[in-house]
Amino acid sequence: MTAPIPKPWIMDIAPYVPGRSKTDDGRVVAKLSSNENPLGTAPQARAAFDAAHGSLERYPDAGAAELREAIAASCDLDPARVIYGTGSDEVLHLAAGAFAGPGDEVIFVRYGFAVYEIATRRVGALPVIAPDRDYATDVDAILAAVTDKTRIVFVANPNNPTGTFIAREEIARLHAGLPKWVLLVIDQAYAEYIDAEDDDHGLELAKTKPNVLVTRTFSKIFGLAAERIGWGYASAEIIDAMHRIRAPFNVTTAGQAAAIAALAATDFVDASRAHNAQWREWFAGEIEKLGNAGLRAVPSKANFVLVLFEGQVTAEQAYHGLMDRGYIVRWLPGQGLPNALRISIGTAQETQGVAAALREIVAG
């Protein structure tokens, strides 16, 4: 018997590979592979989640009205222009589904977030990869790649998996250089780790420009990765188009309640940001000390560090060596980074431990 044949562009998709949580031999060890919050979740958010169990038989609010109001209040936005999804991944897919298709082109940077290519190919559009500048976003390279077929540009700021960041002037220059028919998607999954003075003003652009969409998530600093809650902000016209293909009831009742409470838990967010800044700087300094062994840390503004292996020890060897020593990190050959490991900032103990393990590995 002959099975139905998928569209050819679907078979061109390399499935997303998440960070592992167990070692090759099944051990549960320190997980530094998925950029999760090592401090956990705010107690208020946990309590709100627990309180929602009494209405399991009811569908969630399909319009997520209270969640949209809370998001809007926290960022000075219009709640009618907030869209929500199963993680920001769904919002990215909605953007591709609403604004690109066969014959169109979608641009993103080399070493960009893996979902961009998946979302692009899923709708039959052609991915166009702009060269990087030492692992960072190159605005000139993106603008040079634009054609009359370009429909979307995806830019993560900070970028995943590199952690690199481009300043607000570069974001503004990128937007100014794009044709008005191109949707600029600024993926700010790690925005809460940025100090206020470094804000790239992406949301300000989305407030005033008709072709800018900003996406964010509750999976990172808010510690709600298990509930998969993301959101986006854009002009009313963009949001209307995306809502037309959004899955109904896509954010759970408990997830909505937990996210609302998480937004109010500013002390927890501040503590998470401070912890990350302290230990990211410390960890990058420890990698710098291993420079004579060929290790290099790409400057990061996120909650992880991309470590390059340019000496005798390869990233693959270090990946397995760390696993043997009780640490799972992210090796990324599928994203064109066979020479690198992305290492999340964990607890103080985990971060000190993984640094010590790397020293041991490169020392032979």
Side-chain angles (χ1 to χ4, degrees):
M1 297 176 64
T2 302
I5 299 174
K7 293 295 185 182
W9 54 80
I10 297 298
M11 300 312 295
D12 288 337
I13 294 173
Y16 182 81
V17 179
R20 295 177 55 174
S21 57
K22 294 183 179 180
T23 63
D24 290 336
D25 56 5
R27 288 176 294 132
V28 177
V29 295
K31 185 186 177 189
L32 303 177
S33 59
S34 296
N35 305 336
E36 296 151 334
N37 190 331
L39 303 188
T41 308
Q44 303 97 305
R46 289 188 183 275
F49 179 89
D50 290 342
H53 77 275
S55 58
L56 291 178
E57 75 281 6
R58 303 293 184 188
Y59 284 107
D61 174 14
E66 291 185 20
L67 175 58
R68 288 189 294 108
E69 291 281 356
I71 291 169
S74 72
C75 297
D76 189 25
L77 306 174
D78 177 359
R81 292 166 55 185
V82 174
I83 193 167
Y84 41 93
T86 308
S88 57
D89 288 3
E90 184 186 7
V91 183
L92 297 171
H93 277 280
L94 291 175
F99 295 98
D104 296 331
E105 295 177 349
V106 175
I107 300 172
F108 46 88
V109 298
R110 180 165 55 184
Y111 314 130
F113 184 35
V115 167
Y116 303 154
E117 182 166 357
I118 295 172
T120 299
R121 292 191 183 278
R122 179 171 178 256
V123 299
L126 178 68
V128 176
I129 301 174
D132 64 296
R133 181 178 296 168
D134 193 24
Y135 298 92
T137 298
D138 186 334
V139 168
D140 291 316
I142 292 174
L143 293 175
V146 173
T147 72
D148 59 0
K149 295 181 179 180
T150 304
R151 293 295 176 268
I152 300 174
V153 172
F154 285 117
V155 173
N157 205 35
N159 185 48
N160 175 21
T162 64
T164 54
F165 183 78
I166 56 175
R168 68 189 63 155
E169 295 81 10
E170 287 293 275
I171 289 288
R173 186 166 72 87
L174 172 59
H175 175 259
L178 292 175
K180 298 190 184 305
W181 69 77
V182 174
L183 176 63
L184 173 60
V185 180
I186 306 172
D187 177 356
Q188 295 186 339
Y190 300 91
E192 290 84 6
Y193 291 103
I194 301 296
D195 294 330
E197 59 269 21
D198 292 329
D199 181 10
D200 66 12
H201 286 195
L203 276 176
E204 294 304 313
L205 282 176
K207 289 179 183 180
T208 59
K209 305 299 181 182
N211 64 332
V212 177
L213 167 66
V214 168
T215 66
R216 290 198 178 182
T217 183
F218 284 89
S219 295
K220 304 306 178 186
I221 207 167
F222 295 106
L224 292 174
E227 279 304 286
R228 310 299 301 123
I229 309 165
W231 61 275
Y233 193 77
S235 64
E237 295 80 6
I238 289 172
I239 296 301
D240 175 68
M242 294 169 66
H243 271 305
R244 291 169 186 266
I245 58 173
R246 177 182 57 80
F249 310 112
N250 59 336
V251 180
T252 68
T253 297
Q256 291 183 41
I260 292 166
L263 285 169
T266 54
D267 288 349
F268 175 82
V269 172
D270 291 343
S272 297
R273 183 185 303 109
H275 171 91
N276 184 73
Q278 175 187 351
W279 288 102
R280 183 185 63 204
E281 180 180 3
W282 181 86
F283 183 67
E286 294 302 298
I287 297 302
E288 184 178 354
K289 294 175 185 177
L290 299 176
N292 59 352
L295 273 61
R296 175 162 70 100
V298 175
S300 174
K301 290 279 191 179
N303 66 339
F304 58 85
V305 174
L306 187 72
V307 180
L308 306 177
F309 289 77
E310 301 170 333
Q312 292 280 335
V313 175
T314 68
E316 183 178 11
Q317 289 170 334
Y319 172 70
H320 291 291
L322 289 173
M323 194 181 298
D324 291 341
R325 291 165 174 80
Y327 301 92
I328 294 181
V329 299
R330 192 76 178 271
W331 181 40
L332 297 161
Q335 290 184 246
L337 288 164
N339 65 325
L341 297 179
R342 193 193 68 188
I343 302 177
S344 303
I345 301 304
T347 64
Q349 182 179 3
E350 289 169 342
T351 305
Q352 291 171 322
V354 76
L358 278 172
R359 286 195 294 271
E360 183 178 299
I361 290 167
V362 298

